[in-house]
């Protein structure tokens, strides 16, 4: 009886162009094909080798024998009454993540996830009540952008203009993959988007913010602040206990010195928690530590917590105090709340097949 051996396929998007070139040469193929294959993968977003029409059938079959493209699939999409579209994306190992298209008059924004679940336990965020299953790789973050860009064109006839890493997970706890995904999205050999149109949002990992500065990143950085004194911040964001406001301020100052990129502070004004003029004063004092602006974000209630949004009058007074002190303030109204697509609501109500 003849034994047949099954070739274990490699994920081709894990290989660099140089590695692919070496592999092709070892299999009797011309090295220049590596650049053509990379262009199909990262510029044209191919999901199969069959699509690579400028390669011979023999080459495509060789690739298909040894490699696979682990592209994500859209499991379900929901459209909000305000036009926001939330999608559950299924990964190659059956885990689910969520991404959101947020349309506005002046921009089309993709909100993408960086982890399956989250290891941080922010008390007001639905994702924080999930376990972290694993980090996403660069290709899985890239695929979210491609899928959401397609949704923008199909639904609104307009391509994506902005990307925010504000979905499920803490991007700076998946540092290398996040930076690689940004490189693929911004490279002329990839999607060619401007890094100035990309914002990475963190709950505050001081040493990784410092590393971002040392690495000279070109994208924007946002810090989910939500309280500008340690006692209050500890209560809602346990990560603050090991990353105090003093340490974060020093890291942000280092980041700004290295990149000259102004910081965005995200601040949810919770009812009877951080919505007083004293809270606004503490926030103003913190904004003076580094060139910055403040996005005041409407709170989106979740079943797991009993926080409430502050009243309109208090929110107006809070914002006015900051503006009177010369702080640049944007009040962000909630989008996609009716489909649990708003900030802090992503939690995969659909369970993955493994759970």
């Amino acid at each position: 009886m003849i034994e047949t051996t099954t070739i274990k396929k490699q994920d081709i998007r894990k290989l660099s162009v140089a590695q692919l070139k070496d592999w092709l040469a070892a299999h009797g193929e011309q090295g220049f094909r590596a650049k053509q294959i990379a262009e199909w993968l990262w510029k044209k977003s191919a999901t199969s080798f069959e699509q690579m029409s400028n390669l011979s059938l023999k080459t495509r079959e060789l690739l298909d024998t040894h490699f696979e493209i682990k592209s994500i699939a859209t499991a379900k999409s929901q459209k909000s009454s305000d036009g926001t579209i939330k999608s559950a994306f299924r990964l190659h190992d059956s885990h689910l993540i969520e991404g959101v298209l947020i349309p506005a008059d002046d921009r089309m924004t993709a909100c993408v996830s960086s982890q399956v679940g989250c290891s941080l336990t922010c008390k007001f965020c639905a994702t924080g009540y999930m376990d972290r299953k694993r980090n996403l790789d660069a290709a899985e973050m890239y695929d979210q952008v491609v899928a959401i860009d397609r949704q923008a064109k199909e639904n609104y006839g307009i391509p994506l203009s902005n990307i925010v890493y504000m979905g499920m997970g803490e991007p700076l706890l998946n540092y290398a993959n996040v930076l690689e995904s940004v490189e693929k999205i911004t490279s002329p050999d990839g999607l060619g988007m401007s890094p100035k149109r990309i914002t990475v949002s963190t709950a505050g990992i001081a040493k990784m913010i410092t590393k971002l500065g040392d690495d000279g990143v070109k994208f924007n950085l946002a810090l989910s602040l939500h309280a500008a004194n340690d006692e209050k911040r500890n209560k809602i964001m346990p990560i603050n206990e090991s990353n105090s406001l003093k340490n974060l301020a020093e890291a942000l100052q280092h980041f700004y010195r290295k990149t000259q990129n102004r910081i965005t502070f995200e601040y949810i004004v919770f009812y009877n928690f951080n919505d007083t003029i004293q809270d606004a004063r503490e926030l103003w004092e913190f904004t003076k530590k580094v060139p910055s602006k403040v996005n005041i974000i409407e709170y989106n209630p979740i079943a797991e917590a009993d926080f409430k949004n502050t009243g309109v009058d208090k929110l107006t007074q809070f914002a006015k105090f900051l503006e009177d002190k010369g702080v640049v303030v944007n009040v962000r109204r909630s989008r996609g709340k009716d489909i649990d697509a708003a900030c802090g609501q992503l939690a995969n109500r659909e369970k993955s097949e493994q759970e």
Side-chain angles (χ1 to χ4, degrees), residues 256-273:
Y256 181 78
R257 278 196 303 273
K258 294 284 189 174
T259 67
Q260 297 299 297
N261 280 357
R262 183 172 63 162
I263 313 298
T264 298
F265 292 120
E266 296 162 335
Y267 194 101
I268 298 171
V269 188
F270 297 108
Y271 174 70
N272 272 0
F273 179 75

Side-chain angles (χ1 to χ4, degrees), residues 72-338:
I72 67 172
T74 304
K76 182 180 179 182
S77 289
Q78 295 171 273
K79 193 169 187 178
S80 166
S81 57
D82 63 26
T84 299
I85 300 174
K86 180 178 79 167
S87 299
F89 297 116
R90 191 172 302 285
L91 309 180
H92 68 89
D93 55 4
S94 295
H95 284 309
L96 287 171
I97 54 168
E98 291 183 336
V100 183
L101 170 64
I102 308 163
D105 293 339
D106 60 339
R107 64 183 65 193
M108 281 280 161
T109 302
C111 175
V112 300
S113 294
S114 57
Q115 295 178 312
V116 182
C118 188
S119 58
L120 305 187
T121 54
C122 300
K123 303 304 181 191
F124 51 87
C125 177
T127 314
Y129 289 86
M130 300 171 66
D131 293 331
R132 187 192 73 83
K133 302 294 184 186
R134 68 171 176 85
N135 287 336
L136 299 186
D137 66 27
E140 289 168 327
M141 289 177 269
Y142 165 95
D143 281 353
Q144 290 175 72
V145 172
V146 171
I148 296 171
D149 180 53
R150 191 178 301 118
Q151 290 175 342
K153 290 169 182 170
E154 288 172 355
N155 287 271
Y156 299 102
I158 302 169
L160 281 182
S161 60
N162 295 74
I163 301 167
V164 293
Y165 285 71
M166 293 185 188
M168 301 168 69
E170 166 52 57
L172 297 192
L173 292 179
N174 187 15
Y175 189 93
N177 288 326
V178 166
L179 262 61
E180 185 185 347
S181 73
V182 171
E183 194 276 326
K184 297 299 186 190
I185 291 163
T186 59
S187 168
D189 296 324
L191 299 181
M193 289 192 71
S194 167
K196 295 294 182 191
R197 296 285 187 166
I198 297 175
T199 299
V200 172
S201 175
T202 178
I205 318 291
K207 68 178 182 181
M208 304 316 288
I209 293 171
T210 299
K211 184 167 171 50
L212 285 174
D214 290 337
D215 287 342
V217 299
K218 301 287 195 292
F219 54 74
N220 303 302
L221 181 65
L223 174 70
S224 293
L225 190 60
H226 311 311
N229 75 56
D230 284 312
E231 185 183 350
K232 283 191 178 181
R233 199 164 189 266
N234 287 348
K235 286 180 181 175
I236 57 171
M237 302 180 74
I239 187 66
N240 194 71
E241 293 169 13
S242 54
N243 290 265
S244 68
L245 290 170
K246 179 178 182 294
N247 290 343
L248 286 175
E250 289 170 359
L252 293 169
Q253 288 162 350
H254 179 83
F255 174 86
Y256 181 78
R257 278 196 303 273
K258 294 284 189 174
T259 67
Q260 297 299 297
N261 280 357
R262 183 172 63 162
I263 313 298
T264 298
F265 292 120
E266 296 162 335
Y267 194 101
I268 298 171
V269 188
F270 297 108
Y271 174 70
N272 272 0
F273 179 75
N274 62 351
D275 58 354
T276 67
I277 293 301
Q278 176 58 26
D279 292 307
R281 185 180 301 280
E282 289 169 354
L283 176 55
W284 167 57
E285 292 289 347
F286 196 76
T287 64
K288 292 193 290 183
K289 296 179 185 298
V290 65
S292 57
K293 62 179 180 179
V294 172
N295 283 350
I296 293 177
I297 303 169
E298 183 180 354
Y299 182 59
N300 305 296
I302 59 172
E304 295 86 352
D306 56 7
F307 292 102
K308 290 190 290 188
N309 212 13
T310 196
V312 174
D313 289 350
K314 274 204 161 183
L315 190 145
T316 302
Q317 290 166 11
F318 192 99
K320 185 176 185 306
F321 176 89
L322 294 171
E323 287 168 344
D324 288 347
K325 296 293 187 182
V327 179
V328 177
V329 178
N330 297 304
V331 178
R332 298 285 191 210
R333 298 299 174 190
S334 187
R335 303 294 303 270
K337 194 186 293 190
D338 57 328

